[in-house]
Amino acid sequence: MFAWWGRTVVRLRWVVLAAAGLLVVVGATWGLGLFGAVSGGGFADPDAESTRAQERIDAELGNQAVDVLVLYRSDTATVDDPAFEQAVTGTLDDLAAHPEVTSVTSWYDTQSPALVATDRRATYALVQLAGTDEDAKTAGYDEIRPLLDAPGLATQAGGPVPFLDHANEQSIRDITRAELIAMPILLVLLVIIFGGLVAASMPLLVGVLAILGAFVAVRALTLVTDVSVFAINVITLIGLGMAIDYALFVVSRFREELAAGHPTDEALVRTVATAGRTVAVSGLIIGTSLVSLLIFPQPFLTGIGFGGMAAVLVAMLASVTALPALLAVLGPRINALAVPLPWRRRRADPAAGAAADPATAGAWARIARSVMRRPVRYATVVVVGLLLLATPFARAEFGGFDERVLPAGAESRVVAETIAEDFPDGASVGPVEVLVSGAGPDVAQAFADEIATLPGATGAQIAAVRDASALIRVSYVGEPTGDDAEELVRTIRDLPPPAGAEVLVGGRTAADIDMLDSLGRYLPWMALLMATATMVLLFLAFGSVVLPVKAVLMNLVSVGASFGVVVWVFQDGHFADWLGFTPTGFIDPTNPILMLAVLFGLATDYEVFLLSRVREEWDRTGDNTASVAAGLQHTGRIITAAALLLIVVVAGFATGGISFIKLIGVGMIVAIVVDATLVRVLLVPATMRLLGRWNWWAPGPLGRLYRRFGLHETPAQPQLMSVGPTGGGGDASG
């Protein structure tokens, strides 16, 4: 199949390139409209009690949410000074007349002590917006923001809507910054790796095509569903990273085939049939890992899943269509514009620098043979080391994110911290909200009095009443993400409702609890989907039932090590000053979910690269030890280069301003380093030596299935041999 596809691309090279050019044009115009089409928020489960509570509050009582908190401060005057009062009340009166605003509440209206700082030099107003969803409210906030400034006073805006707006702006700034940092470094490294400008430009061209193509695909999705703004970060990160990985692998194999004396067309067919097949398998595995995010009901996760899938699949398709078409046009000119590097030795193989017999010579082959002489020792040391790295994850604490995910000077974060530190009831900005439906005001008041006596509650007041519905707001000690607040929510939910009434508990803390419960319910199904899809695809690629199981186990160990480092750094706060984030003592539960989907696929990526070449050598020689050594010699340099380039891409995001994007970036860097060194160079050769011929074992029915439907085409031997534990050549022990 892949050899046929290679011949088709050679024949239709100009048609393929024209289609790729059209995609670039559409992506650079219509596709960039994705930045204005994505949505903020989307973190809630639509079926959760907190979500239903908010919907019912809006339906039965009208909009009761506080969308914007406007903080006014003075270094000299107090809130009692006439000039201070006139500046605030005049500004808020004009604001209240704006059509985007439904209500404005201030200390000057209510005389509530909670709205005045303890030094009386600051106050904040509560603003409700007219929009019916997060996007509409964000648009309304952008329109009214200039109207919030009070003359002579320092004015800052915070609250849920400004927080989302600031997070969106920071996300876009991080993307721009990451690309500006990564692109020049990538170009320099690619020139060093390939030794020429033409070859070095190929991965970057594929990266641009992958990103723009994914923008087009995801913008089309926004026409029918909401997509999170953070999907843009994922598209840029994964699209560029995977495109460089895949293009590096394809171009390296093409140059290797040219160096072996094959004419351009034959070299390209062989490249697509081998490297193209590997890229296709890798793309399908990573794409399937990201499909698992669609299981979750949170639009935030599904949006990122759509973005990640689009990026991977477009990168994969570009690497087996547009890139081969361009290579067919270039031919030997892929080696043009060579850059003389003083430390670069002249090599017989310009692609991989392999010796004439990679099974017996070369640094990577020597490493593999050294490992396979002591497989138990190497495997034990590596596994124990990875398990030690993973141990901090055993004490992971999970909690919802807040404004601290933004940089320290972000406006909405400053507002939240100021209210929490300088105002007498900082927790009042995130109260527990209790909706009582089907009961009169007296019954609701009695229920509020009962709630006020609960441990952890500091008060419970009726905030709104309409017909037979009432909203109770419950204040408490500590932060909305604290243990006391969470325990209070659970206690209120355990209370028997008043006779004939229905009670729903919502608010920020309740939403965090519901999100954690929802993720926990769907996580096993996600893991099952990823593991099953990975094992099926690896079986179809290699015809073994042993290697897929081993790959899944290795992935779990590798990802576990990354999780452990993330907890040690971001939960415990190590290197917080150096990395520029504020530790909260817990991890947002969506972060490990996203990391698992991305890292599980990436961990399989290098496994596929290595095993594809090992399988080629096994089919040719039947010698397990020689096949592993040759496979690592052929791919070791490429995998190391790919890992280095991907680290550069990820590092740009790890230095961004949003802490949970930073967390994912750091986790990915750890996983890439572990996977490209300890796992692929040491653990894989050790375990393959211990398994010997069992590496390639499949029971009879599955062996026949593989021979008929497997992705096993190579140019040298189209029909691969199904090898059992007693078939083929080589020694039984490897």
Side-chain angles (χ1 to χ4, degrees):
M1 180 178 72
F2 289 96
W4 168 84
W5 180 247
R7 289 189 292 270
T8 302
V9 170
V10 170
R11 186 173 65 253
L12 301 176
R13 65 191 74 176
W14 292 111
V15 175
V16 173
L17 290 176
L22 178 62
L23 181 60
V24 169
V25 172
V26 174
T29 53
W30 187 76
L32 289 179
L34 177 65
F35 284 84
V38 289
S39 305
F43 301 99
D45 180 350
D47 295 327
E49 180 178 345
S50 56
T51 306
R52 291 186 287 113
Q54 187 60 55
E55 292 173 349
R56 291 276 296 278
I57 291 171
D58 292 342
E60 298 175 18
L61 298 170
N63 181 20
Q64 299 296 320
V66 176
D67 299 311
V68 183
L69 304 175
V70 192
L71 178 66
Y72 297 106
R73 288 188 295 183
S74 173
D75 293 333
T76 57
T78 68
V79 296
D80 307 293
D81 292 341
F84 194 121
E85 179 179 357
Q86 184 177 358
V88 173
T89 56
T91 300
L92 296 182
D93 287 344
D94 293 340
L95 181 66
H98 197 280
E100 294 292 342
V101 176
T102 58
S103 72
V104 178
T105 304
S106 72
W107 175 74
Y108 298 103
D109 303 321
T110 64
Q111 296 296 304
S112 170
L115 299 180
V116 178
T118 53
D119 64 1
R120 303 193 70 78
R121 296 187 185 276
T123 184
Y124 68 92
L126 294 76
V127 180
Q128 292 180 324
L129 299 175
T132 57
D133 56 35
E134 291 172 334
D135 293 335
K137 290 184 177 182
T138 300
Y141 167 72
D142 291 337
E143 186 172 338
I144 68 165
R145 179 59 185 88
L147 304 178
L148 302 180
D149 296 323
L153 301 177
T155 304
Q156 292 174 302
V161 174
F163 167 66
L164 287 177
D165 190 57
H166 296 155
N168 294 351
E169 292 177 356
Q170 185 67 48
S171 175
I172 294 172
R173 285 198 297 268
D174 288 348
I175 291 172
T176 304
R177 181 174 177 272
E179 291 177 343
L180 291 175
I181 292 174
M183 284 297 187
I185 299 174
L186 290 173
L187 181 59
V188 171
L189 290 176
L190 286 167
V191 169
I192 293 173
I193 292 167
F194 284 120
L197 289 174
V198 175
S201 66
M202 295 297 104
L204 295 181
L205 291 176
V206 176
V208 171
L209 181 59
I211 292 172
L212 293 178
F215 281 173
V216 171
V218 176
R219 187 175 182 194
L221 284 174
T222 63
L223 301 178
V224 295
T225 186
D226 291 334
V227 175
S228 170
V229 64
F230 296 107
I232 298 177
N233 297 72
V234 173
I235 288 172
T236 308
L237 174 64
I238 295 182
L240 183 59
M242 290 298 94
I244 288 175
D245 263 15
Y246 295 159
L248 179 68
F249 200 64
V250 171
V251 173
S252 296
R253 187 59 183 256
F254 179 65
R255 298 175 79 201
E256 180 182 337
E257 297 294 345
L258 287 178
H262 300 296
T264 297
D265 289 0
E266 182 181 348
L268 192 58
V269 171
R270 296 173 68 90
T271 296
V272 175
T274 52
R277 165 188 172 274
T278 302
V279 165
V281 172
S282 173
L284 290 173
I285 290 175
I286 298 177
T288 303
S289 294
L290 291 165
V291 166
S292 65
L293 292 175
L294 305 186
I295 291 176
F296 296 95
Q298 288 82 2
F300 165 72
L301 292 176
T302 56
I304 288 181
F306 283 131
M309 283 189 298
V312 171
L313 294 179
V314 174
M316 181 263 285
L317 291 172
S319 298
V320 297
T321 54
L323 179 58
L326 187 54
L327 294 177
V329 172
L330 290 172
R333 287 173 293 183
I334 188 66
N335 298 314
L337 300 180
V339 177
L341 300 173
W343 62 86
R344 185 180 180 89
R345 297 181 301 171
R346 185 178 300 276
R347 294 183 174 122
D349 182 347
D357 183 2
T360 58
W364 294 105
R366 289 195 296 272
I367 292 173
R369 289 185 176 278
S370 173
V371 171
M372 288 187 286
R373 282 194 295 270
R374 309 170 188 86
V376 174
R377 184 181 306 174
Y378 274 98
T380 301
V381 171
V382 171
V383 170
V384 170
L386 293 178
L387 291 177
L388 287 175
L389 285 177
T391 50
F393 188 64
R395 52 182 172 78
E397 298 286 340
F398 299 106
F401 66 88
D402 54 31
E403 287 83 358
R404 287 174 291 182
V405 303
L406 295 175
E411 185 178 1
S412 57
R413 174 173 173 176
V414 171
V415 170
E417 292 174 340
T418 301
I419 292 175
E421 296 170 3
D422 298 345
F423 285 73
D425 191 6
S428 63
V429 299
V432 178
E433 297 189 335
V434 182
L435 174 67
V436 181
S437 296
D442 294 341
V443 175
Q445 183 61 57
F447 193 60
D449 294 340
E450 181 181 1
I451 292 174
T453 64
L454 296 176
T458 59
Q461 293 83 31
I462 302 290
V465 176
R466 180 184 295 174
D467 298 329
S469 298
L471 173 63
I472 303 171
R473 286 201 170 117
V474 184
S475 57
Y476 47 86
V477 177
E479 300 176 346
T481 54
D483 293 339
D484 292 339
E486 292 182 358
E487 184 60 30
L488 177 60
V489 168
R490 293 189 175 93
T491 303
I492 295 173
R493 285 179 169 175
D494 289 339
L495 290 176
E502 180 184 6
V503 174
L504 293 173
V505 181
R508 183 169 179 173
T509 306
D512 290 345
I513 293 173
D514 291 341
M515 179 174 65
L516 192 59
D517 291 343
S518 175
L519 295 177
R521 285 196 306 273
Y522 290 98
L523 180 59
W525 295 104
M526 173 193 182
L528 179 62
L529 174 60
M530 287 194 305
T532 302
T534 298
M535 289 192 288
V536 169
L537 288 169
L538 286 177
F539 167 75
L540 292 175
F542 303 117
S544 165
V545 297
V546 176
L547 289 180
V549 174
K550 180 173 71 70
V552 169
L553 294 177
M554 286 186 179
N555 287 359
L556 293 177
V557 174
S558 178
V559 173
S562 178
F563 280 3
V565 172
V566 161
V567 168
W568 187 76
V569 173
F570 288 89
Q571 177 178 300
D572 299 346
H574 297 96
F575 303 116
D577 292 338
W578 185 64
L579 289 171
F581 71 92
T582 302
T584 59
F586 54 81
I587 300 292
D588 181 346
T590 61
N591 291 341
I593 299 293
L594 291 172
M595 287 177 61
L596 179 60
V598 174
L599 297 183
F600 195 89
L602 287 179
T604 312
D605 187 35
Y606 298 141
E607 179 95 4
V608 172
F609 284 2
L610 174 57
L611 292 184
S612 294
R613 205 58 185 260
V614 173
R615 178 78 214 210
E616 283 186 50
E617 297 298 325
W618 168 256
D619 289 333
R620 185 175 64 86
T621 67
D623 186 325
N624 184 64
T625 301
S627 299
V628 174
L632 187 59
Q633 177 61 36
H634 277 297
T635 61
R637 178 174 173 270
I638 300 172
I639 290 175
T640 302
L644 177 61
L645 295 170
L646 188 55
I647 287 172
V648 171
V649 174
V650 174
F653 290 86
T655 58
I658 299 179
S659 65
F660 75 79
I661 296 294
K662 191 190 301 286
L663 180 150
I664 294 173
V666 171
M668 286 183 65
I669 290 174
V670 172
I672 293 166
V673 171
V674 166
D675 201 63
T677 55
L678 298 179
V679 175
R680 299 305 154 225
V681 179
L682 301 179
L683 193 56
V684 169
T687 54
M688 294 193 76
R689 173 65 176 83
L690 292 171
L691 290 170
R693 294 181 186 174
W694 288 94
N695 285 303
W696 312 106
W697 177 75
L702 290 179
R704 290 190 293 272
L705 180 68
Y706 171 69
R707 286 192 295 273
R708 183 171 181 181
F709 299 107
L711 304 173
H712 49 58
E713 184 178 43
T714 68
Q717 186 176 341
Q719 299 298 324
L720 299 186
M721 178 174 56
S722 177
V723 181
T726 59
D731 58 282
S733 64

